[in-house]
Amino acid sequence: MTASTHVLHRQFAHTLPVAVSARGIEIVDREGRSYIDASGGAAVSCLGHGHPDVLAAMHAQIDRLAYAHTSFFTTEVAEALADRLVAGAPAGMSHAYFVSGGSEAMEAALKMARQHFVEIGQPQRTRFIARRQSYHGNTLGALAVGGNEWRRRQFAPLLIDVTHVSPCYEYRDRRADETPQQYGARLVQELAGAIDRIGGENVIAFVAETVVGATAGALVPVPGYLQGVRELCTRHGILLILDEVMCGMGRTGTLHACEREGVVPDLLAIAKGLGGGYQPIGAVLAQQRIVESFQRGSGLFQHGHTYIGHAVACAAALAVQQVIERDRLLDAVQRGGHGLAERLQAAFGPHPNVGDLRGRGLFRVFELVAARATKTPFDPALKLHARIRREAMARGLMVYPMGGTIDGLRGDHVLLAPPFITSDDDLDRIVERLQAALAAALSGVGA
Ligand SMILES: Cc1ncc(COP(=O)(O)O)c(C=O)c1O
């Protein structure tokens, strides 16, 4: 344990175990305890830890060239990664803009969208519309489009003015007299109303996570909802920015989560599983017409950071993506996803405090309730999510519990996002430990 520290950690009250090594799906601490990484950190470590092919690619790159600033050079590895990403991207996407993480990807996407309209002579477009209970990152632009009240509150005076509409949260918000399709159509109508109030000609983009990740917990869109959103945006000349930082790059069983929705965004933000945690890397994939508006106009994208397109990060990401293809890991995600869903259903389906089990692929959540019939959440003061995290860690299990599921304050859920290489036996061990952790956490709150 860290007795004293000069690292400004995320929280002051906690002492963290010191991670010293990791292999496969396990991380080992300095005391020799090992933890199954059933959340891939925060849905990052898609290949697990210490993958020999990724390490070899990184070593080879470091030996040749670790870094060359992108205003002086391009690199073979950045070009190769971009070629690969564009080849696998939704229709019409022609370029990848590399950054160092998810928030940077979202910042870049917001600025790309704005600059596009300046380039094509529509500078009056200044507004973004996004959804409550989404998370797009912690930098000011990303935080502004994000819709999690708790994360935004103290910084709100610093944030650009963004219109937020309802999330697609079937478990809580679909009325009993609605089909999923009708519920989706109602949400599209709500967005249409927001666009009309602002004036469609003033809106830059609608921003959404294809499958909502951390803040509301693996919210899968109802059928037709994102298609309706896409049509609406197209009708008003509004860009659609999909944030697949967490749910993308295979996590839900297709390379991009939007493939399952039959929707093509104008800009697509990816990160986490792109580099699998071997290096910090994210990217924005952009439609050709957006890039062309820059080419024909000012001739540059007015943005940039020191480490964009970092050669070692690109080498790591390229290797991760090659392994995923070579080892057919998207199939493994679909298979493992079914296996995990079945196990969770068996273990928690009948549980009186589990209100909803949801997700797609190896991106699964259960939402906790004090009473199933009324869907009443636990008192936020109990911090049930933090207790589950503690109890899981005490049993050698990393999961990703979160509070504020419903509105940033109320609600608790537990997210699982294990590596794509997780075996059936591993899934059994994960669910077993999770059952024990949940039981201990619930008994701690008297449930
Ligand atoms: C959907 C989504 N967007 C953006 C981010 C921000 O990414 P990062 O933490 O790499 O800046 C996250 C992080 O969890 C995320 O889940």
Side-chain angles (χ1 to χ4, degrees):
M1 295 283 179
T2 43
S4 72
T5 179
H6 296 289
V7 176
L8 207 164
H9 290 290
R10 286 170 180 255
Q11 301 201 24
F12 289 91
H14 295 180
T15 31
L16 295 165
V18 181
V20 292
S21 66
R23 267 290 175 281
I25 67 160
E26 301 205 358
I27 297 185
V28 179
D29 75 11
R30 199 163 57 188
E31 321 301 327
R33 281 188 292 261
S34 72
Y35 305 81
I36 301 179
D37 187 357
S39 55
V44 173
S45 302
C46 54
L47 290 189
H49 302 270
H51 197 290
D53 297 331
V54 183
L55 300 188
M58 287 167 61
H59 286 304
Q61 185 60 47
I62 293 168
D63 288 341
R64 286 169 57 202
L65 169 83
Y67 172 70
H69 194 282
T70 45
S71 62
F72 298 91
F73 293 101
T74 185
T75 56
E76 287 168 354
V77 71
E79 297 292 338
L81 179 59
D83 288 349
R84 185 182 186 90
L85 291 176
V86 166
M93 298 201 136
S94 63
H95 287 76
Y97 183 81
F98 293 121
V99 290
S100 303
S103 302
E104 278 190 17
M106 286 307 297
E107 293 291 332
L110 299 177
K111 287 177 77 175
M112 254 184 219
R114 165 65 187 163
Q115 186 177 328
H116 168 67
F117 286 117
V118 174
E119 300 281 8
I120 66 170
Q122 298 183 30
Q124 83 289 349
R125 288 191 189 258
T126 56
R127 290 294 290 241
F128 290 100
I129 305 178
R131 297 186 299 180
R132 290 191 295 281
Q133 276 310 87
S134 274
Y135 180 59
H136 298 298
N138 264 331
T139 49
L140 292 176
L143 192 62
V145 286
N148 181 269
E149 270 317 299
W150 177 79
R151 284 177 167 77
R152 296 175 101 254
R153 193 174 302 143
Q154 69 167 320
F155 302 106
L158 311 183
L159 303 179
I160 55 166
D161 199 6
V162 171
T163 300
H164 288 97
V165 296
S166 300
C168 186
Y169 192 169
E170 189 181 3
Y171 169 61
R172 292 211 170 258
D173 294 346
R174 178 166 70 84
R175 292 194 306 250
D177 64 348
E178 279 176 326
T179 63
Q181 285 79 358
Q182 286 167 337
Y183 168 52
R186 171 158 66 85
L187 293 175
V188 174
Q189 273 315 306
E190 181 192 340
L191 176 60
I195 292 172
D196 288 344
R197 278 191 296 284
I198 299 165
E201 71 286 2
N202 298 321
V203 179
I204 297 174
F206 179 65
V207 183
E209 291 170 82
T210 311
V211 177
V212 178
T215 42
L219 293 184
V220 176
V222 293
Y225 162 69
L226 278 178
Q227 284 176 3
V229 166
R230 173 70 273 182
E231 282 161 25
L232 189 59
C233 288
T234 304
R235 203 176 317 138
H236 289 278
I238 294 169
L239 299 184
L240 176 62
I241 301 176
L242 290 182
D243 178 350
E244 298 200 0
V245 165
M246 198 175 230
C247 65
M249 301 316 290
R251 176 56 55 199
T252 62
T254 49
L255 185 59
H256 303 294
C258 57
E259 289 170 35
R260 275 284 291 272
E261 304 305 319
V263 164
V264 173
D266 297 291
L267 296 168
L268 180 62
I270 54 177
K272 297 184 187 273
L274 172 59
Y278 288 89
Q279 286 286 286
I281 183 164
V284 182
L285 304 180
Q287 283 289 334
Q288 183 152 18
R289 72 191 165 84
I290 295 180
V291 178
E292 280 174 358
S293 74
F294 293 17
Q295 281 167 343
R296 288 204 205 96
S298 63
L300 57 87
F301 173 36
Q302 195 176 4
H303 193 56
H305 301 286
T306 301
Y307 297 118
I308 61 176
H310 194 283
V312 183
C314 289
L318 185 59
V320 167
Q321 298 311 312
Q322 285 167 339
V323 169
I324 289 174
E325 184 180 354
R326 185 197 68 196
D327 296 351
R328 302 180 152 276
L329 291 180
L330 295 184
D331 296 342
V333 173
Q334 293 185 10
R335 262 196 325 275
H338 288 304
L340 179 57
E342 275 169 21
R343 285 167 175 80
L344 291 174
Q345 182 59 40
F348 301 113
H351 196 292
N353 298 114
V354 174
D356 192 28
L357 283 159
R358 56 180 178 251
R360 188 179 281 167
L362 284 174
F363 198 47
R364 298 276 162 185
V365 153
F366 58 85
E367 182 172 334
L368 293 148
V369 287
R372 265 168 90 133
T374 54
K375 303 184 183 176
T376 313
F378 281 91
D379 178 355
L382 296 172
K383 290 200 182 303
L384 178 60
H385 57 98
R387 288 170 191 264
I388 297 170
R389 179 190 293 250
R390 260 198 318 276
E391 297 292 353
M393 282 294 275
R395 288 163 178 77
L397 179 69
M398 293 162 61
V399 289
Y400 203 68
M402 192 68 81
T405 315
I406 303 169
D407 54 10
L409 183 70
R410 296 174 311 132
D412 300 90
H413 67 264
V414 178
L415 174 71
L416 291 109
F420 302 173
I421 56 165
T422 306
S423 69
D424 286 351
D425 286 350
D426 295 331
L427 291 178
D428 288 337
R429 285 197 297 152
I430 289 168
V431 173
E432 241 172 64
R433 290 185 195 188
L434 189 52
Q435 271 183 303
L438 181 63
L442 286 171
S443 86
V445 302

